Short mmCIF file of all heavy atoms in Angstrom, two decimals:
data_model
loop_
_atom_site.label_atom_id
_atom_site.label_comp_id
_atom_site.label_asym_id
_atom_site.label_seq_id
_atom_site.Cartn_x
_atom_site.Cartn_y
_atom_site.Cartn_z
N GLU A 1094 4.55 62.46 -59.79
CA GLU A 1094 4.03 61.70 -60.94
C GLU A 1094 2.52 61.92 -61.06
O GLU A 1094 1.77 61.78 -60.08
CB GLU A 1094 4.32 60.21 -60.78
CG GLU A 1094 3.80 59.37 -61.93
CD GLU A 1094 4.07 57.88 -61.75
OE1 GLU A 1094 4.99 57.53 -60.97
OE2 GLU A 1094 3.35 57.06 -62.38
N THR A 1142 22.56 57.63 -62.09
CA THR A 1142 21.50 56.66 -62.37
C THR A 1142 21.09 56.00 -61.06
O THR A 1142 21.93 55.75 -60.19
CB THR A 1142 21.95 55.59 -63.39
OG1 THR A 1142 22.91 54.72 -62.79
CG2 THR A 1142 22.58 56.25 -64.61
N MET A 1214 37.70 78.39 -68.15
CA MET A 1214 36.58 78.60 -67.25
C MET A 1214 37.07 78.74 -65.80
O MET A 1214 36.58 79.59 -65.05
CB MET A 1214 35.58 77.45 -67.36
CG MET A 1214 34.83 77.40 -68.68
SD MET A 1214 33.94 78.92 -69.06
CE MET A 1214 32.83 79.06 -67.67
N LEU A 1229 32.98 85.64 -69.89
CA LEU A 1229 32.74 84.64 -70.93
C LEU A 1229 31.99 85.26 -72.10
O LEU A 1229 32.30 85.00 -73.26
CB LEU A 1229 31.95 83.46 -70.35
CG LEU A 1229 31.62 82.32 -71.32
CD1 LEU A 1229 32.90 81.75 -71.94
CD2 LEU A 1229 30.84 81.22 -70.61
N SER A 1256 24.52 87.63 -78.80
CA SER A 1256 23.70 87.16 -79.92
C SER A 1256 23.16 85.76 -79.65
O SER A 1256 23.87 84.89 -79.13
CB SER A 1256 24.51 87.17 -81.21
OG SER A 1256 24.92 88.48 -81.54
N GLN A 1265 19.98 62.32 -91.02
CA GLN A 1265 20.03 61.41 -92.17
C GLN A 1265 20.92 61.95 -93.29
O GLN A 1265 21.74 61.23 -93.84
CB GLN A 1265 18.61 61.16 -92.70
CG GLN A 1265 17.84 60.06 -91.99
CD GLN A 1265 17.43 60.44 -90.59
OE1 GLN A 1265 16.88 61.52 -90.37
NE2 GLN A 1265 17.68 59.57 -89.64
N GLY A 1284 8.15 86.12 -88.14
CA GLY A 1284 8.23 87.28 -87.26
C GLY A 1284 9.36 87.19 -86.26
O GLY A 1284 10.46 87.66 -86.50
#
Side-chain angles (χ1 to χ4, degrees):
E1094 180 181 338
T1142 70
M1214 291 303 301
L1229 180 57
S1256 298
Q1265 275 70 49

